[in-house]
Structure formats: structure tokens, C-alpha cells
Amino acid sequence: MSAVSAVFSKEEFEKLPRSQESFSALRRNGKIYVDKTAFIYDLAFTEDKYFIKKAP
């Protein structure tokens, strides 16, 4: 089980955008917006080290 499947049902996962869309287009198309602001803040302002790898 992946981390994504542990959080989202199959129906919810299908609503996640897979390309760049404007916020209004996301809402109009019934997609889910995931705000990563707090995650980015933690990456920038903690002394922990992170390895970030782009998904294939």
C-alpha cells in the first residue's frame, strides 16, 4: 500500500490533478487542491536534512 492509497480512496485519488491547472479550473472540474504551504515552511525553516527526489 502506498502512502497515497493510505490517505485517499480510489475515487478521491482520481480527483487529484496530474497537470498544471489554475485553482479555478481545479474547482470547476471537481478536482482536489492540496495545500503544501506548511510542508514547504517546515522544509525551509527546520535544521533537519531532506533528500527530495522527483518522481519518475
Side-chain angles (χ1 to χ4, degrees):
M1 177 181 293
S2 73
V4 171
S5 63
V7 176
F8 295 104
S9 69
K10 183 176 180 178
E11 293 79 23
E12 291 171 324
F13 182 74
E14 292 299 320
K15 291 183 178 182
L16 292 172
R18 291 178 180 74
S19 62
Q20 288 184 323
E21 298 183 52
S22 68
F23 183 76
S24 60
L26 291 175
R27 300 297 298 149
R28 186 173 50 250
N29 296 323
K31 302 283 180 128
I32 297 172
Y33 172 75
V34 180
D35 186 350
K36 300 176 194 84
T37 306
F39 179 70
I40 294 168
Y41 180 88
D42 288 345
L43 285 174
F45 295 103
T46 63
E47 294 183 16
D48 297 336
K49 293 184 176 16
Y50 296 92
F51 176 77
I52 300 173
K53 179 180 176 187
K54 185 178 189 294

